[in-house]
Amino acid sequence: MTDPLLIWSYLESGPLLWLTATLVAYWIGDRIFRLSRGKPWFNPVLLSVIVLGGLLLATGTPYETYFEGAQFVHFMLGPATVSLALPLHANLRRVRKAALPMALALLAGSLTAVVSALGLAWLLGADFGLLASLAPKSATAPVAIGISEKLGGDPAMTAVLVLLTGMIGAIAVTPMLNALGLRDWRGRGFATGVAAHGVGTARALQVNPTAGAFAGIGMGMNAVLTGLLAPLVLQLFR
Amino acid sequence: MPSVVSGIITLLLFQLCGEVVSRMFSLPLPGPVLAMVAMVIGMALSERLLALIRPVASFLLQNLSLLFVPVGVGAVARLSDLSAHALAIGVSLIGSTLLAICVGALTFEYVARLTGNVDEEEEA
């Protein structure tokens, strides 16, 4: 029998172990989410992150080693973004009809996200580097990282803030908008995509197909608008 | 029935062109978003493109949450940075995200109602 430590060091150096672990953790998270009948607190991303984070800490594995395996999953974000064309195309007529409410909701939602995020963090004593990392956090990850770099933030920190934003949105959106009595799935989805990008869009797709389609559009539009708004608003806090 | 491989190739080619155009003209739009817009136009023009993409795109979108897990695990690697500013980050992220969703959804519904813009195609 080979020493288990040798097997471990072999597995640790290749992508197989952490790629498998990522898929298994997600499968578990998704099962729990389904068993809970879609309760937002049992968000599959949050559950898998807790499981995998615990494993990394327990085994002392650095994130870079983990990412060697997980990058294959991460890479699919690009093609998945292109795939959002599918629900968008299916709803093209409704999207065109709702152009005015969408434009105004985009402006209001995007501006609120940037101004309130920076304002609250500034009040609680955040330094400029953190504010720069925080400013693009409602945009989709690849865009937010690019903006953060340009503004002098920390791109890796931005990636994490982006994801936390998405998870907060995904968990809160359904009970919150139900409490407000909003029933238009177009507006609910669109606002979710604007404020909570792809993670919010994934949640919207789980809740309602119309909301999902409009969330995808909101995410795409806010990716552009955040690139313009974030530098302007950040200037106010310099 | 178009093959899954040709669907994947088409998706990647669109993304590739998106990245090239975005970088060539230094656009604020990232490559995949640009490719998404091009794909919508393409689908409107060609039934064949739509049929080609549908199986792969449906598969990816059904598992969209999974694709965010690797970045999410990065939060664990940043735990010390996050906890150093826990209060500012927590209040800022929670406050701004909830506020932005409410403001966006309320604006949409208010404007839609004001202009008589109702959604007739809403499925039950």
Side-chain angles (χ1 to χ4, degrees):
Chain A
M1 268 266 291
T2 314
D3 187 346
L5 270 176
L6 278 176
I7 301 179
W8 171 253
S9 71
Y10 164 74
L11 284 178
E12 213 195 17
S13 64
L16 174 66
L17 177 67
W18 291 111
L19 176 59
T20 312
T22 301
L23 292 171
V24 171
Y26 181 74
W27 182 80
I28 295 171
D30 197 48
R31 289 302 299 212
I32 297 176
F33 176 69
R34 276 165 213 272
L35 284 175
S36 79
R37 293 207 197 88
K39 290 257 179 356
W41 267 112
F42 295 99
N43 183 282
V45 182
L46 184 61
L47 292 170
S48 351
V49 166
I50 293 171
V51 170
L52 289 165
L55 271 177
L56 290 190
L57 289 178
T59 57
T61 308
Y63 181 66
E64 290 68 28
T65 307
Y66 165 77
F67 198 76
E68 291 269 310
Q71 60 175 322
F72 302 105
V73 172
H74 178 73
F75 171 78
M76 295 314 287
L77 271 176
T81 306
V82 187
S83 299
L84 285 169
L86 189 67
L88 194 52
H89 171 263
N91 290 284
L92 208 53
R93 231 152 41 87
R94 297 159 80 189
V95 170
R96 249 187 251 143
K97 215 186 122 213
L100 182 66
M102 268 166 49
L104 294 175
L106 169 68
L107 204 61
S110 185
L111 202 60
T112 305
V114 182
V115 172
S116 63
L118 293 185
L120 287 170
W122 181 79
L123 283 176
L124 292 167
D127 54 43
F128 187 76
L130 181 57
L131 291 179
S133 308
L134 201 53
K137 55 96 195 169
S138 275
T140 181
V143 183
I145 290 166
I147 298 172
S148 169
E149 261 167 7
K150 270 190 209 161
L151 297 178
D154 170 3
M157 184 67 164
T158 298
V160 171
L161 297 173
V162 166
L163 198 91
L164 291 173
T165 297
M167 291 200 287
I168 292 164
I171 289 169
V173 61
T174 305
M176 186 171 68
L177 295 184
N178 283 347
L180 285 174
L182 296 180
R183 291 208 186 84
D184 193 328
W185 286 111
R186 301 174 301 170
R188 289 178 62 133
F190 187 76
T192 309
V194 168
H197 56 85
V199 183
T201 300
R203 171 66 184 158
L205 282 167
Q206 288 166 349
V207 175
N208 178 287
T210 302
F214 277 82
I217 307 157
M219 175 181 94
M221 289 181 151
N222 196 31
V224 187
L225 189 59
T226 301
L228 305 171
L229 278 184
L232 290 177
V233 178
L234 188 65
Q235 284 303 316
L236 303 175
F237 295 91
R238 200 175 268 283
Chain B
M1 183 68 192
S3 85
V4 174
V5 176
S6 41
I8 296 173
I9 293 173
T10 314
L11 266 185
L12 290 180
L13 281 177
F14 266 79
Q15 191 186 346
L16 198 63
C17 295
E19 293 288 4
V20 170
V21 172
S22 168
R23 266 147 230 276
M24 198 182 281
F25 301 103
S26 334
L27 302 176
L29 268 173
V33 177
L34 217 55
M36 174 182 83
V37 176
M39 183 67 86
V40 174
I41 298 170
M43 284 173 165
L45 295 175
S46 159
E47 285 285 327
R48 274 186 70 191
L49 180 65
L50 181 61
L52 193 64
I53 295 299
R54 194 191 296 276
V56 189
S58 307
F59 172 76
L60 283 175
L61 292 180
Q62 273 156 22
N63 297 287
L64 187 56
S65 296
L66 163 67
L67 312 185
F68 294 102
V69 172
V71 180
V73 177
V76 179
R78 292 260 149 187
L79 227 44
S80 61
D81 284 352
L82 287 173
S83 56
H85 304 280
L87 184 68
I89 290 174
V91 172
S92 162
L93 288 186
I94 294 176
S96 70
T97 306
L98 303 194
L99 207 59
I101 293 178
C102 288
V103 169
L106 284 167
T107 306
F108 187 101
E109 190 138 324
Y110 182 71
V111 176
R113 224 177 272 168
L114 210 66
T115 55
N117 190 322
V118 284
D119 191 18
E120 293 117 2
E121 291 173 54
E122 178 59 74
E123 50 270 77

